[in-house]
Amino acid sequence: MRKVVIHGPGSYDRLKLEEHPDPSPGPGEILVDVEAAGVNYADCIVRMGLYESAKKYVGWPITPGFEVAGKVAALGPNTEGPAPGAPVFAVTRFGGYGSRVCVPAHQVFPLPKGFSVAEAAGFPAVFLTAYHALFDLANVRPGMNVLVHSAAGGVGSALVELGKIAGCRVIGVVGASHKVAVARKLGADAVIDKSVEPLWAVAERLAPEGYDVALDANGVETLGQSYRHLAPSGKLVVYGFHTMMPRKGGRPNWIKLAVDWLRTPRYNPLDLTNDNKSVLAFNLSYLFHREDLLREYMTKLLGWIDEGRITPPPVTTFPAERVADAHRALEGGGTVGKLALTF
């Protein structure tokens, strides 16, 4: 089998496509012949050596990747699941950038109706993230004003779609004009193009009473204002810090990281109480022990796919040999939807 291995932190040259022996599924595992693997911004952070759960659960060397799609190759002993040859997609806690991957059976699902293999590979990480943020943490209700940053990106696209399913009024924010139509097509009620208009002045005009929920993975660039523009009882949900990371070069700028860390807002419980606002944050990679949540979330998401309420994410594919180009494109900030590696 082939898999991408990172032997130590660094830039794109650390991504090595190597030949390794085929893995054998153990009890309760399914071996998947991977045709496509989703690429997420978290994978870039893993490569830089800054992803804490990667250090905790794997260390070096590491194969990144949280999601794959392909066909069942084999079932482990005493394992129930789809028959060999069945098209499936799966979630993984790292290890997804490989042509064959062993996955716990409860993390493997039939290929969604109407999805290509690449679209399925790009589905679970972003939609599980969006579902947890909106329905578990923010507890959204119909009619709420919801502000979604990076609304044409992977998680942002999923947040827009799920926000509309929840009956919310969704305001999307994008960083380039070519992304406006993408966010509108996903269902955003209004889109703010911060490359040509003042983000917060327009955000205030669109929701003078403030936002019930703001979903922010930008970090220091927008966290403070996202909090300030919350309505009474509003919730700021944080799931990343992308603006602290480099747009090119593939290596963290340690001086910028330090300055941004110092500039990152700190939320005092007394202030939160007096402001009548909440700040919530999470990292999906720490939730893999919650089989109940995975089952609940995927049941809902797959049901909405069957009903035609969720559409496949736009996906740009790269052959596995071009994994460095995929990371470079994702970090550059110009991509729309999801990226996937093909094997």
Side-chain angles (χ1 to χ4, degrees), residues 26-48:
E29 291 186 330
I30 295 176
L31 179 63
V32 177
D33 267 329
V34 176
E35 297 175 29
V39 179
N40 293 281
Y41 196 83
D43 305 337
C44 303
I45 309 303
V46 170
R47 191 201 71 239
M48 296 178 202

Side-chain angles (χ1 to χ4, degrees), residues 51-54 57 66 93-94 282-289:
Y51 208 71
E52 288 301 316
S53 64
Y57 295 115
F66 291 104
R93 182 154 62 186
F94 310 110
F282 71 101
N283 181 326
L284 205 65
S285 67
Y286 287 111
L287 291 175
F288 271 69
H289 65 290

Side-chain angles (χ1 to χ4, degrees), residues 175-188:
S177 297
H178 72 278
K179 299 182 179 184
V180 172
V182 176
R184 287 194 183 280
K185 186 177 180 181
L186 291 165

